[in-house]
Amino acid sequence: MVCAWLMNDDLADQRLEHHRSPPVFVPLDKLFKTTGVEYFKVNLDSQNPELEELKNKRGYSYEDEILISPTQLPNYEEKIKIFFHEHLHTDEEIRLVLEGSGYFDVRDMEENWVRIEVKPGDLLILPAGIYHRFTLDTNNFVRAKRYFVGEPVWTPHNRPCDEMECRKSYLERLKKNLEE
Ligand code: KMT
Ligand code: NI
């Protein structure tokens, strides 16, 4: 099962776990309530009717793969910095990890960083407008599928961009989500 926790604010190596002391884990239902992040477990060894259904239901018409490693990603150092700079997108960020591992960090409603550990078979959907970042862990390798509705737009908008429409509607949705 996917594991998420609140981060400490120590600025050492981003690839480490950065647990608080004592650790504070964030269960999946709480992660959804406080950030809107959705999680699905995908069995990578077999055909996946659930994955096909999800793609159809959400209209994920585009897919490709991204591979991040020091030797296999062109402009690796520069890309890694971009991924780890706090940003948002105007669309969902959907990633299914196929090999390797890493951490997606997302801001919760109280501005805490929640670190989400991803491994093979983990499918994460970060909502449009959520502030987040990504880092490899100490294994320095991940291969993942990326999905998108229509023509992909990968542009990161670095924080602060609170005036963007996608940010405002994200916060509205989150508020409604909490009231339910
Ligand atoms: C992104 O946009 O941050 C990435 O694609 C990197 C993470 S993919 C596991
Ligand atoms: Ni992003």
Side-chain angles (χ1 to χ4, degrees), residues 87 89 93 132:
H87 64 272
H89 306 280
E93 179 164 324
H132 67 280

Side-chain angles (χ1 to χ4, degrees), residues 66 68 82-84 87 89 93 95-97 101-104 118 126 132-136 142-146 154:
I66 178 162
I68 310 175
I82 294 172
F83 291 147
F84 200 62
H87 64 272
H89 306 280
E93 179 164 324
R95 300 290 184 270
L96 167 60
V97 176
S101 49
Y103 300 122
F104 282 94
V118 288
L126 309 189
H132 67 280
R133 64 189 182 188
F134 175 81
T135 181
L136 291 173
V142 78
R143 187 166 69 87
K145 272 217 180 269
R146 309 193 286 191
W154 308 122

